[in-house]
Amino acid sequence: MSNLFGNVLKAHQWIYENSHGALGHKLLFGNPTLLLRTTGRKTGQERTNALTYARDGRNFLVTASNGGSPRPPGWLANVKSHPQCVIQVGTQRIPVTATATYPQNPEYARRFQLVDKVNKGRYTQYQSMTSRPIAVVVLTPR
């Protein structure tokens, strides 16, 4: 990920967090964005990531693409270690349980298509850049 794009993402997340969700839900590229609040698996500290999402019934879907990097994003290890987390959609905070899904899951292809469509095909592009399967994480409200 280029420094410019990385800085834009950081600024977007800062605006989202510091406006308490009043700004940021659809700020970047018009994609719906949530804040995923996880517990660090090593530090125990709260971590926050702004992620594009799709809806699947009552669930929210996010993709652990890390821009097509060979390494998954750190937040994926955090939700695997501590699946009880909180998302913020606009100004609303929702407790969720996170479940990572991969291509062997029968629902994976359908879920990947949902998030890829919201992100205008970028996840298909990112998957072509790495040999690791990109997880689709299902966030189920508790």
Side-chain angles (χ1 to χ4, degrees), residues 29-63:
F29 305 121
N31 292 348
T33 305
L34 58 76
L35 296 176
L36 174 64
R37 299 179 190 284
T38 62
T39 301
R41 74 184 189 291
K42 293 179 182 176
T43 65
Q45 295 179 352
E46 182 180 279
R47 303 285 185 214
T48 302
N49 296 89
L51 302 168
T52 296
Y53 73 91
R55 292 297 304 262
D56 186 18
R58 65 188 286 264
N59 296 327
F60 297 81
L61 305 175
V62 294
T63 306

Side-chain angles (χ1 to χ4, degrees), residues 63-77:
T63 306
S65 66
N66 204 17
S69 168
R71 297 180 63 169
W75 63 260
L76 181 61

Side-chain angles (χ1 to χ4, degrees), residues 35-37 58-60 83-89 92-98 138-142:
L35 296 176
L36 174 64
R37 299 179 190 284
R58 65 188 286 264
N59 296 327
F60 297 81
Q84 308 300 313
C85 45
V86 174
I87 59 173
Q88 183 175 334
V89 181
Q92 183 180 18
R93 288 182 181 236
I94 305 165
V96 295
T97 301
V138 180
L139 303 168
T140 304
R142 292 181 286 182

Side-chain angles (χ1 to χ4, degrees), residues 8-137:
V8 168
L9 292 176
K10 286 178 186 173
H12 173 221
Q13 181 172 323
W14 186 90
I15 290 166
Y16 204 149
E17 289 187 85
N18 287 280
S19 72
H20 305 284
L23 299 173
H25 180 243
K26 290 197 175 184
L27 190 64
L28 194 65
F29 305 121
N31 292 348
T33 305
L34 58 76
L35 296 176
L36 174 64
R37 299 179 190 284
T38 62
T39 301
R41 74 184 189 291
K42 293 179 182 176
T43 65
Q45 295 179 352
E46 182 180 279
R47 303 285 185 214
T48 302
N49 296 89
L51 302 168
T52 296
Y53 73 91
R55 292 297 304 262
D56 186 18
R58 65 188 286 264
N59 296 327
F60 297 81
L61 305 175
V62 294
T63 306
S65 66
N66 204 17
S69 168
R71 297 180 63 169
W75 63 260
L76 181 61
N78 292 343
V79 298
K80 285 180 175 181
S81 182
H82 303 285
Q84 308 300 313
C85 45
V86 174
I87 59 173
Q88 183 175 334
V89 181
T91 58
Q92 183 180 18
R93 288 182 181 236
I94 305 165
V96 295
T97 301
T99 307
T101 64
Y102 294 92
Q104 63 270 25
N105 182 296
E107 293 291 307
Y108 178 87
R110 183 184 63 76
R111 290 174 179 149
F112 188 92
Q113 188 175 24
L114 288 171
V115 289
D116 195 40
K117 182 178 180 182
V118 167
N119 205 20
K120 300 169 182 64
R122 287 184 196 94
Y123 294 131
T124 294
Q125 178 186 359
Y126 296 158
Q127 184 60 83
S128 73
M129 296 164 59
T130 182
S131 59
R132 73 173 170 88
I134 292 176
V136 174
V137 179

